[in-house]
């Protein structure tokens, strides 16, 4: 009996061994951003013809860094339930394209600004906020990454630029649209937006 | 057999320890928690993982009301917009003003004037904004802020060649500009935003922040130059100069937005809210500091 208890206690110690997460979210965000900077600084990709290759590489990093579904779900909040699974899939896809179109040129226009990661705050055991700054000659732009732990990975689900949360900003817009439109109509608006640019 | 039961009970007790409740999300961020050890809940984890891998993520039903509530509760920032038709019209007006007038002018100016010079011009105008920041600090009883502002103004006016440079922000002096205005002062007195208001030319505002706009005019030394068209002229230079340093910002906001008007309104309100929050945190921290000092001196 005692032996069994001993084995069980040892087992418990193993099972309950506490992984330390402090620092991991910050490192995850920082390494992803560094990978982006590497692509942008790559002298081999400097020619305009290599733009598509750059975009493709950035997409891979984006997928790695962000949890698109969490991102979309949070922008729709309660409205997520009004969407059918097929509509959700389309929404996630369209929303991603909207974001890419809006921000890719800004990102590709990067010219050696410094990026500083300096603080990590645990919001809860599974959520963290990472603070960073982009330093340009005329100003400093604070950018925060909100991250969530999915399994063993930390994924970004919101970006806060100059104190404005992207998720919150889109949530207000989608809420406004969905107050008088159906999910299908919202998808149609997004489809148009993706096409016209 | 009893010991078995005991250990199982102990296991559940220990493993179930950290509560992953919805309120932990809403709980204020604890700075100390950054060093705190996050405890992996081995009991919850397999469940979460199976949910991630087995079910098609799009099939997942997020009927869990608590979850949705937790997300939206995180930060609910809204403002009443009873004048929406008027505001939308003004938004359109400002939009056209930007694309047809301001942007072309600022682009031309940018071609001619090199960036360091434009930054100096920006510094010059920022330095002249000293009276309103100083007064706002005083009205909020933020005396260290007021002292910082006064120090900055002195240093930058004398050693920064009339404010063209910003030596006060250097590492050695570290006198940072106080991010405050009359709108935030009123907010610290508990005055609410009221409703959303878009002014032609001046852009997003509210009744409370309109008082700040008026204050900025009356407390700016440049407003008192005669003849009358000089202040207007300097104002135009200031705006064109500022725009030349941020061409592309408005465009990308508009480009990224599904409804640019709502996006702008939300960005404005979120930005102001965070400024107020930061101010309150600062005041709170100062209060705690003061209290500690008092108790210390009391102990002595």
């Amino acid at each position: 009996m005692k032996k069994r208890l001993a084995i069980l206690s040892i087992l418990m110690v193993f099972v309950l061994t506490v992984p330390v997460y402090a620092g991991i979210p910050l490192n995850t965000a920082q390494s992803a951003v560094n990978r982006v900077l590497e692509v942008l600084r790559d002298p081999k990709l400097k020619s305009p013809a290599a733009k598509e290759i750059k975009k493709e590489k950035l997409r891979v990093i984006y997928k790695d860094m962000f949890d698109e579904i969490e991102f979309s779900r949070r922008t729709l909040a309660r409205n997520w339930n009004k969407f059918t699974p097929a509509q959700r899939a389309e929404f996630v896809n369209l929303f991603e394209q909207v974001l890419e179109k809006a921000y890719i040129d800004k990102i590709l226009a990067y010219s050696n600004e410094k990026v500083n990661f300096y603080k990590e705050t645990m919001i809860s055991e599974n959520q963290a906020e990472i603070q960073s700054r982009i330093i340009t000659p005329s100003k400093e732009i604070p950018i925060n990454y909100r991250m969530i732990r999915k399994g063993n990975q930390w994924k970004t689900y919101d970006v806060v630029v100059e104190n404005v949360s992207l998720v919150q900003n889109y949530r207000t817009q989608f809420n406004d649209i969905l107050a008088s439109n159906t999910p299908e109509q919202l998808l149609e608006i997004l489809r148009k937006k993706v096409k016209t640019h | 057999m009893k010991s078995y039961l005991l250990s199982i009970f102990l296991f559940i007790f220990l493993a179930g320890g950290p509560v992953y409740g919805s309120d932990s999300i809403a709980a204020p961020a604890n700075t100390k928690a950054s060093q705190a050890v996050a405890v992996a809940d081995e009991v919850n984890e397999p469940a979460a993982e199976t949910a991630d891998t087995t079910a098609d993520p799009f099939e997942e039903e997020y009927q869990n009301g608590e979850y949705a509530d937790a997300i939206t509760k995180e930060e609910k920032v809204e403002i009443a917009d009873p004048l929406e038709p008027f505001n939308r019209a003004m938004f359109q007006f400002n939009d056209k003003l930007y694309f047809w007038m301001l942007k072309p002018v600022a682009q031309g100016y940018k071609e001619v004037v090199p960036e360091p010079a434009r930054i100096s011009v920006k510094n010059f105008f920022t330095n002249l904004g000293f009276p309103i920041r100083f007064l706002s600090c005083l009205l909020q009883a933020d005396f260290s802020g007021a002292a910082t502002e006064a120090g900055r103004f002195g240093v930058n006016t004398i050693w920064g060649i009339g404010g063209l440079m910003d030596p006060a922000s250097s590492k050695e002096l570290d006198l940072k500009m106080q991010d405050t205005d009359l709108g935030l002062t009123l907010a610290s007195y508990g005055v609410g935003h009221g409703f959303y208001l878009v002014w032609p030319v001046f852009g997003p505002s509210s009744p409370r922040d309109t008082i700040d706009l008026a204050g900025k005019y009356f407390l700016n030394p440049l407003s008192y130059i005669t003849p009358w068209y000089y202040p207007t002229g300097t104002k135009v230079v200031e705006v064109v100069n500022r725009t030349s340093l941020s061409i592309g910002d408005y465009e990308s906001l508009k480009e990224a937005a599904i409804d640019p008007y709502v996006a702008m309104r939300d960005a404005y309100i979120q930005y102001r809210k965070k400024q107020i929050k930061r101010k309150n945190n600062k005041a709170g921290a100062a209060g705690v500091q003061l209290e500690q000092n008092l108790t210390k001196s009391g102990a002595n």
Side-chain angles (χ1 to χ4, degrees):
Chain A
M1 205 67 231
K2 273 226 170 109
K3 205 174 167 193
R4 276 196 180 170
L5 189 68
I7 291 169
L8 213 77
S9 330
I10 291 169
L11 216 74
M12 260 169 63
V13 169
F14 268 97
V15 170
L16 295 175
T17 306
V18 174
V20 180
Y21 284 109
I24 293 180
L26 191 138
N27 289 341
T28 312
Q30 191 165 21
S31 76
V33 169
N34 282 343
R35 274 165 66 202
V36 171
L37 295 182
E38 258 166 47
V39 172
L40 295 175
R41 281 178 189 147
D42 195 342
K44 273 178 269 164
L45 299 172
K46 273 279 180 282
S47 69
K51 203 174 163 188
E52 276 309 309
I53 307 172
K54 262 199 230 175
K55 277 191 189 177
E56 197 42 57
K57 285 193 169 183
L58 292 177
R59 261 181 223 128
V60 174
I61 303 170
Y62 171 83
K63 291 247 165 49
D64 211 35
M65 187 180 181
F66 282 85
D67 186 330
E68 309 117 281
I69 296 165
E70 185 78 31
F71 199 9
S72 296
R73 203 172 75 188
R74 279 170 185 267
T75 58
L76 286 179
R78 277 195 171 280
N79 291 315
W80 179 262
N81 291 332
K82 292 186 195 150
F83 284 62
T84 66
Q87 282 175 327
R88 285 175 196 168
E90 196 187 350
F91 177 83
V92 171
N93 184 17
L94 285 171
F95 187 45
E96 212 179 299
Q97 290 183 53
V98 169
L99 290 175
E100 184 187 317
K101 291 212 149 112
Y103 294 106
I104 194 78
D105 285 331
K106 272 243 151 182
I107 294 169
L108 289 177
Y110 165 85
S111 54
N112 269 322
E113 284 93 354
K114 249 174 61 189
V115 182
N116 245 346
F117 278 81
Y118 64 97
K119 197 176 167 195
E120 170 186 305
T121 312
M122 298 295 288
I123 301 168
S124 71
E125 282 85 352
N126 279 330
Q127 278 173 299
E129 184 158 338
I130 315 300
Q131 280 168 274
S132 77
R133 259 193 220 118
I134 296 181
I135 299 162
T136 75
S138 59
K139 62 190 163 195
E140 289 184 4
I141 307 163
I143 297 187
N144 298 358
Y145 300 88
R146 295 200 173 140
M147 304 185 85
I148 189 163
R149 189 166 67 89
K150 287 276 161 108
N152 280 326
Q153 268 185 312
W154 284 89
K155 296 270 195 179
T156 308
Y157 68 85
D158 191 5
V159 182
V160 184
V161 184
E162 297 247 32
N163 289 331
V164 177
S165 145
L166 217 60
V167 164
Q168 159 84 33
N169 195 274
Y170 279 106
R171 189 188 300 144
T172 315
Q173 294 178 56
F174 291 144
N175 245 337
D176 202 77
I177 293 169
L178 287 170
S180 50
N181 292 288
T182 62
E184 185 50 38
Q185 280 166 316
L186 174 62
L187 289 175
E188 191 51 44
I189 293 171
L190 291 177
R191 275 182 217 125
K192 266 196 199 136
K193 177 131 187 103
V194 168
K195 243 183 239 157
T196 48
H197 294 284
Chain B
M1 221 52 232
K2 222 178 185 179
S3 59
Y4 243 121
L5 276 176
L6 190 79
S7 51
I8 287 169
F9 184 73
L10 203 73
F11 180 83
I12 292 170
F13 183 76
L14 281 175
V19 181
Y20 285 54
S22 57
D23 46 1
S24 65
I25 296 167
N30 188 348
T31 39
K32 271 194 187 149
S34 55
Q35 298 128 25
V37 175
V39 180
D41 196 324
E42 294 287 342
V43 171
N44 285 354
E45 191 149 315
E49 249 160 37
T50 45
D52 270 349
T53 47
T54 54
D56 176 4
F58 301 108
E59 298 281 356
E60 253 181 276
E61 285 295 320
Y62 292 106
Q63 296 295 0
N64 188 347
E66 241 174 71
Y67 180 81
D69 278 343
I71 298 174
T72 37
K73 224 193 298 169
E74 223 171 81
E75 41 191 300
K76 199 165 173 69
V77 192
E78 299 256 297
I79 186 167
D81 192 1
L83 301 177
E84 192 173 331
F86 169 81
N87 286 341
R88 275 191 191 266
M90 288 306 118
F91 178 79
Q92 281 305 321
F93 175 80
N94 289 339
D95 182 77
K96 294 285 173 286
L97 187 73
Y98 176 78
F99 282 109
W100 293 351
M101 293 224 353
L102 194 52
K103 194 183 169 189
V105 173
Q107 259 166 341
Y109 173 82
K110 191 179 171 183
E111 293 293 317
V112 187
V113 186
E115 192 172 24
R118 284 183 283 134
I119 292 171
S120 289
V121 172
K122 188 188 102 181
N123 287 340
F124 174 78
F125 284 110
T126 308
N127 193 45
L128 285 180
F130 153 75
I132 200 148
R133 290 193 297 270
F134 181 71
L135 184 73
S136 298
C137 284
L138 282 185
L139 289 175
Q140 290 171 46
D142 176 7
F143 299 113
S144 78
T148 307
E149 269 303 323
R152 271 180 61 85
F153 184 68
V155 169
N156 283 349
T157 306
I158 297 166
W159 283 282
I161 321 175
L164 288 176
M165 288 184 297
D166 188 5
S169 288
S170 66
K171 273 205 184 95
E172 293 78 31
L173 291 174
D174 197 31
L175 295 171
K176 288 262 151 36
M177 191 178 84
Q178 300 298 303
D179 185 16
T180 189
D181 54 46
L182 288 182
L184 296 180
T185 304
L186 288 171
S188 77
Y189 295 160
V191 179
H193 253 299
F195 51 89
Y196 187 56
L197 192 56
V198 182
W199 288 111
V201 186
F202 298 106
S205 191
S206 69
R208 188 183 72 199
D209 288 349
T210 301
I211 293 174
D212 179 56
L213 279 177
K216 278 210 173 89
Y217 174 79
F218 287 112
L219 287 173
N220 191 333
L222 290 178
S223 306
Y224 296 96
I225 312 172
T226 48
W228 64 270
Y229 48 82
Y230 272 32
T232 320
T234 53
K235 194 77 207 161
V236 169
V237 172
E238 182 185 354
V239 172
V240 169
N241 185 70
R242 189 175 3 125
T243 311
S244 78
L245 288 167
S246 60
I247 287 179
D249 286 2
Y250 176 65
E251 286 86 336
S252 55
L253 178 131
K254 215 183 149 191
E255 168 73 31
I258 315 298
D259 182 344
Y261 170 77
V262 176
M264 183 73 135
R265 185 181 71 197
D266 179 74
Y268 165 74
I269 210 71
Q270 276 198 56
Y271 186 73
R272 291 300 276 176
K273 205 129 206 168
K274 288 277 165 56
Q275 276 183 315
I276 292 165
K277 210 169 137 194
R278 203 185 308 142
K279 202 82 208 164
N280 288 347
N281 285 348
K282 192 184 161 195
V288 170
Q289 188 66 43
L290 192 67
E291 229 166 73
Q292 281 172 348
N293 288 347
L294 285 176
T295 43
K296 248 189 216 161
S297 58
N300 290 342

